[in-house]
Amino acid sequence: MGKSDWKDEMALGVPVIDEAHEALFQELARLQQLGDQHFSMAFRELIAAVERDFREEEDLMEQIAFPSLANHREQHARVLSGLHHAWAAVDEGDLEHGRHALSLLPQWLIFHQATMDLALAAALEMVQRQPS
């Protein structure tokens, strides 16, 4: 099992977040296996998927007035900045730059999930437990 593989113990108990994370890890594993001729397009699609997942997560945070929204959003912006920087290199033909970014992303995601996303999952659970 590689470092880009989803493991059930990574689940936070929030289906919408867990499903997005699992799909992202599956896509990362797939991209690591792609040949150069397909990498560029797939890398661009990965960035779009990450942007979409982050936007959906941030929407959840806004809905519950999550107190750490600004910090969480800032972490998302940092990783997206790195991915966009890598995309610029990939778009110019430097696939190695994109592959390097791809190799770093799982480690960041695991850390982010175990810290920022875990706090979000706890907050969502608290909101769900509150009487309507």
Side-chain angles (χ1 to χ4, degrees):
M1 196 174 271
K3 65 182 177 180
S4 294
D5 292 329
W6 174 262
K7 299 168 191 70
D8 289 339
E9 60 267 19
M10 294 166 67
L12 299 172
V14 179
V16 67
I17 294 174
D18 291 337
E19 290 166 8
H21 288 167
E22 183 175 7
L24 185 55
F25 274 88
Q26 288 172 350
E27 186 61 11
L28 287 170
R30 186 183 77 81
L31 259 70
Q32 289 175 342
Q33 304 303 314
L34 284 180
D36 289 350
Q37 69 275 20
H38 300 292
F39 182 79
S40 180
M41 177 68 76
F43 189 71
R44 184 175 58 170
E45 291 169 356
L46 172 74
I47 294 171
V50 171
E51 289 171 337
R52 183 179 54 253
D53 289 348
F54 285 178
R55 188 172 39 255
E56 290 170 358
E57 203 172 276
E58 291 168 9
D59 288 347
L60 279 174
M61 290 185 275
E62 289 174 1
Q63 291 170 13
I64 66 167
F66 187 58
S68 297
L69 172 61
N71 291 336
H72 203 132
R73 187 175 274 153
E74 185 266 338
Q75 291 299 310
H76 287 174
R78 283 180 186 257
V79 81
L80 285 172
S81 175
L83 288 172
H84 287 169
H85 180 77
W87 168 247
V90 168
D91 195 39
E92 294 293 322
D94 182 2
L95 301 185
E96 192 54 40
H97 199 91
R99 290 190 185 280
H100 179 67
L102 186 66
S103 75
L104 298 174
L105 191 54
Q107 181 179 352
W108 181 87
L109 287 167
I110 289 168
F111 178 77
H112 180 78
Q113 184 174 329
T115 56
M116 296 275 188
D117 288 346
L118 184 60
L120 173 58
L124 287 166
E125 184 178 332
M126 286 177 50
V127 167
Q128 290 175 346
R129 289 184 180 181
Q130 292 177 348
S132 302

